[in-house]
Structures are given as structure tokens and as C-alpha cells.
Amino acid sequence: MRNSRTACLFCVRVSLISVSTAAKPGVLMFGRSSLSVLEGSKMVRIPVIRVNGSYSKISVRYQSVEPETGPYSQIQGLLEFPDGVEMQEIEIPLLDDSIRGPDVSVRLMLVQPSKKTDIVGESCVLEILDDDMIPGYLELEKSMLSVVENVGSVRLNVMRLDGTDGQIRVKYRTVPDSAVPGSDFSTTVGELVFEEGEKAKTLTVDIVDDEIRNHRKSSR
């Protein structure tokens, strides 16, 4: 009989420990400490997760602490986690103003958790990236140019049209048509870098004078 009663008591103790572990309400934290989004995305959803338990209903408030002014300075609200729910999302509408401006950094905080829970990851930084740049496009000023072979070199203008925002790059190289590299012109390769606001760049191609009469030749 003594062995039977001991075994029964042991079973009861194991059951009580299991119930105590499952009944924890858990703690709250941001699912990510930082994230980036384009302002044209219209909406961003920031996850807040519940870890180490999901028993009973809990809640937490959120608010923006940076920037102090502007459309993202007054973000605030309440997240409620019903019994068993482990994730909720903060939804933030994004202002797409179609005007070029600096990126915006928004720092969010979790505050005022309900009595049954606590906060372990209290802040998240949201970077809202401006997507209103107009970099423009590039093309040669003249699609065709004729020179005499004793000119020494020819300068070609590359134009930046319909926008000058940011830096853009383009690689170039000469391609023979009827002209022969080395005999009629020097092979030329390189890269042009247009900085913010630059509208034109020039590249130079050396022309070889072979002092031999022949027909017109071309390269691209």
C-alpha cells in the first residue's frame, strides 16, 4: 500500500506543475526592432508579439516618441490580446506626398502594459524612405557625328533629361562599324557619373590619322 500511495502523490504533483506553466499570460515585445518601408507603400504593419505564455486577456498601449512634429508625431493606440492570441499589428498609414524630401525616422514605444503582463522589447524604429526622386534618363546629344580623321579626337556630349535627382551612372564603349579599332580610332571604354543636379557630361574618342586615302568609315 505504501508504494501505491507514493506513486499517486507523485502523479498529482506533476499535473500541478504542468497547469502552472501553461497558465502564464506571457510578456510583450516588438516583432522587429527596426524596419524600412517606401512612403508609397500606403500602409505599414508592425508586429507586436506575445512570448512565454498566452493565457488570459492582456493589453498594451503604443505611441510615437520621435519625431516631435509632423504627420508621424501623434501615433498612439491600444493593442488587445485575447486569451491564446500571440500577435497583433500596429497599422500606420503612410503619407505619399509626391514631393521629394528627406527620409523620416519614427521611433515607437510600447507603454502601459496591463497588470498581468510586462514589456521586454519596448521600442522599434521605422524608417520611411522617400521615393519621389526623378533621376531622369541619359542619351547622346547627337546620334550621328562626322569628323575628318586628322581632327585628333572627338568629344561627345551625354545629356541627362527629365530629372536630375540623385546620382546615376552609365558605362560606355566604342563599337566598330566600318572603322577599325587601332587603325581608325582608339578603343574607348569608361563610365560617366552624374552627381545630383548634373545635366551633361562629355566623353572623348581619339581618332587615328593613317594618312592613307580611303572611304568614309564609322564606329558606334
Side-chain angles (χ1 to χ4, degrees):
M1 291 295 291
R2 180 179 299 173
N3 291 339
S4 176
R5 292 173 62 187
T6 301
C8 182
L9 179 61
F10 176 74
C11 291
V12 171
R13 287 175 179 171
V14 171
S15 178
L16 290 174
I17 292 172
S18 176
V19 171
S20 176
T21 301
K24 290 183 178 181
V27 293
L28 298 169
M29 61 186 296
F30 280 104
R32 298 177 61 179
S33 61
S34 64
L35 69 159
S36 300
V37 62
L38 294 175
E39 71 174 17
S41 301
K42 298 183 179 180
M43 175 77 71
V44 60
R45 294 176 173 84
I46 303 174
V48 177
I49 59 175
R50 181 181 192 178
V51 297
N52 298 334
S54 62
Y55 173 74
S56 79
K57 178 181 176 180
I58 61 174
S59 64
V60 67
R61 301 195 71 85
Y62 61 89
Q63 64 185 42
S64 59
V65 294
E66 294 175 2
E68 297 181 355
T69 60
Y72 302 106
S73 62
Q74 301 296 322
I75 298 171
Q76 57 183 327
L78 174 70
L79 291 179
E80 294 183 331
F81 292 75
D83 183 19
V85 174
E86 297 181 339
M87 188 184 78
Q88 295 284 24
E89 292 181 320
I90 300 171
E91 295 187 349
I92 302 176
L94 300 175
L95 176 64
D96 187 6
D97 54 14
S98 300
I99 300 173
R100 189 184 177 196
D103 298 337
V104 178
S105 180
V106 180
R107 188 159 72 95
L108 299 167
M109 299 284 291
L110 296 178
V111 297
Q112 300 177 23
S114 57
K115 293 182 179 180
K116 297 178 181 180
T117 187
D118 200 359
I119 300 168
V120 294
E122 64 180 14
S123 68
C124 173
V125 177
L126 169 65
E127 294 288 342
I128 304 173
L129 307 178
D130 179 71
D131 57 2
D132 297 314
M133 291 180 62
I134 305 176
Y137 65 94
L138 303 176
E139 68 175 27
L140 288 169
E141 184 180 33
K142 296 181 178 181
S143 60
M144 182 176 295
L145 186 65
S146 297
V147 296
V148 293
E149 66 178 8
N150 64 357
V151 71
S153 63
V154 59
R155 294 166 62 87
L156 304 173
N157 293 326
V158 180
M159 311 304 294
R160 183 179 189 176
L161 306 174
D162 292 344
T164 60
D165 291 344
Q167 182 195 86
I168 57 175
R169 298 168 175 261
V170 62
K171 293 183 178 181
Y172 62 86
R173 63 186 177 94
T174 51
V175 179
D177 193 352
S178 58
V180 179
S183 298
D184 298 307
F185 68 95
S186 296
T187 299
T188 304
V189 297
E191 182 180 45
L192 296 178
V193 180
F194 288 75
E195 299 294 347
E196 171 88 18
E198 287 192 306
K199 297 182 178 180
K201 288 283 186 180
T202 302
L203 62 90
T204 302
V205 178
D206 292 331
I207 306 300
V208 177
D209 184 4
D210 57 14
E211 299 182 353
I212 300 174
R213 183 180 180 184
N214 46 39
H215 299 291
R216 290 186 178 183
K217 300 178 182 179
S218 61
S219 65
R220 292 178 288 170

